[in-house]
């Protein structure tokens, strides 16, 4: 059974993430979406909340599980018996960073390969940061965030806006 890991911060999960999840799930027997803790980011949702948001967004995909980890990605993959990391690419700038990370992960775990999936052209520009910024200005997010989690995202953005105003 081929198991792949799709890591990210998913703060929040977007339609672009969900597109990569669906495509990777159709390629591998099992896909583990791993909500990673990134010390450089200040997430809007806790790790457990992000796990829940991804689970709800991908609930129709029977071979997808969602976990969180603060471990090195290579160590997480080894512990789950995976030899493939799936990374979504939007632009050339993504490739440079992700290529470097793929080389580091392979050095740490030589059996680990990285597979790059290019973003669907509908989502080439989309990121969680863009979603949060548009939400702060009360833009319509219906094309960018899965319906299953839309209210959670809107409520959290509203809470953050209220705190910043107060």
């Amino acid at each position: 059974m081929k198991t792949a890991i799709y890591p990210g911060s998913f703060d929040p999960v977007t339609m672009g993430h969900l597109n990569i999840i669906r495509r990777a799930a159709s390629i591998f027997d099992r896909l583990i979406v791993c909500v990673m803790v990134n010390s450089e980011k200040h997430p809007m949702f806790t790790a457990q909340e992000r796990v829940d948001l991804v689970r709800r967004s991908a609930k129709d995909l029977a071979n997808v599980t969602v976990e969180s980890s603060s471990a090195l990605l290579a160590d997480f993959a080894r512990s789950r018996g995976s030899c493939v990391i799936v990374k979504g690419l939007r632009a050339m700038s993504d490739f440079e960073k992700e290529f470097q990370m793929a080389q580091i992960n392979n050095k740490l775990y030589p059996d680990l390969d990285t597979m790059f999936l290019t973003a669907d052209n509908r989502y080439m520009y989309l990121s969680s940061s863009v979603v949060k910024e548009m939400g702060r200005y009360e833009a319509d997010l219906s094309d960018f965030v899965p319906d299953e989690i839309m209210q959670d995202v809107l409520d959290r953005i509203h809470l953050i806006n209220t705190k910043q105003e107060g």
Side-chain angles (χ1 to χ4, degrees):
M1 176 187 275
K2 284 283 187 191
T3 299
I5 310 286
Y6 177 37
S9 55
F10 306 106
D11 187 47
V13 63
T14 68
M15 295 300 287
H17 293 130
L18 193 55
N19 176 262
I20 298 293
I21 291 168
R22 288 186 185 290
R23 291 166 53 207
S26 73
I27 296 168
F28 296 98
D29 299 315
R30 180 172 177 228
L31 178 68
I32 302 172
V33 177
C34 184
V35 174
M36 301 296 293
V37 175
N38 184 336
S39 61
E40 296 176 6
K41 295 186 177 185
H42 304 287
M44 183 167 70
F45 292 97
T46 68
Q48 191 53 51
E49 288 171 327
R50 289 179 278 149
V51 166
D52 178 61
L53 295 174
V54 176
R55 278 186 183 143
R56 288 174 27 219
S57 298
K59 69 181 180 290
D60 61 322
L61 301 170
N63 65 331
V64 174
T65 59
V66 186
E67 299 181 40
S68 69
S69 177
S70 59
L72 285 173
L73 181 55
D75 292 340
F76 179 82
R78 182 183 292 115
S79 74
R80 298 309 186 270
S82 176
C83 59
V84 179
I85 300 297
V86 173
K87 296 298 291 193
L89 297 177
R90 293 171 297 200
M92 208 53 191
S93 57
D94 283 351
F95 177 76
E96 291 176 28
K97 178 183 174 202
E98 296 300 345
F99 181 78
Q100 181 180 25
M101 289 307 302
Q103 297 304 309
I104 291 168
N105 285 328
N106 184 259
K107 177 73 174 165
L108 295 171
Y109 178 20
D111 293 333
L112 187 62
D113 283 314
T114 299
M115 184 177 102
F116 298 109
L117 290 177
T118 55
D120 183 288
N121 63 7
R122 294 173 294 171
Y123 308 117
M124 292 291 276
Y125 57 87
L126 186 58
S127 69
S128 295
S129 299
V130 167
V131 166
K132 289 184 276 194
E133 186 66 17
M134 290 188 320
R136 285 186 185 105
Y137 292 98
E138 300 180 2
D140 178 10
L141 300 179
S142 58
D143 288 337
F144 312 115
V145 175
D147 291 340
E148 294 84 356
I149 66 165
M150 180 66 72
Q151 197 58 52
D152 300 86
V153 172
L154 294 175
D155 290 348
R156 186 59 51 92
I157 290 170
H158 178 74
L159 179 66
I160 291 168
N161 283 346
T162 301
K163 285 182 178 179
Q164 288 176 348
E165 292 169 2

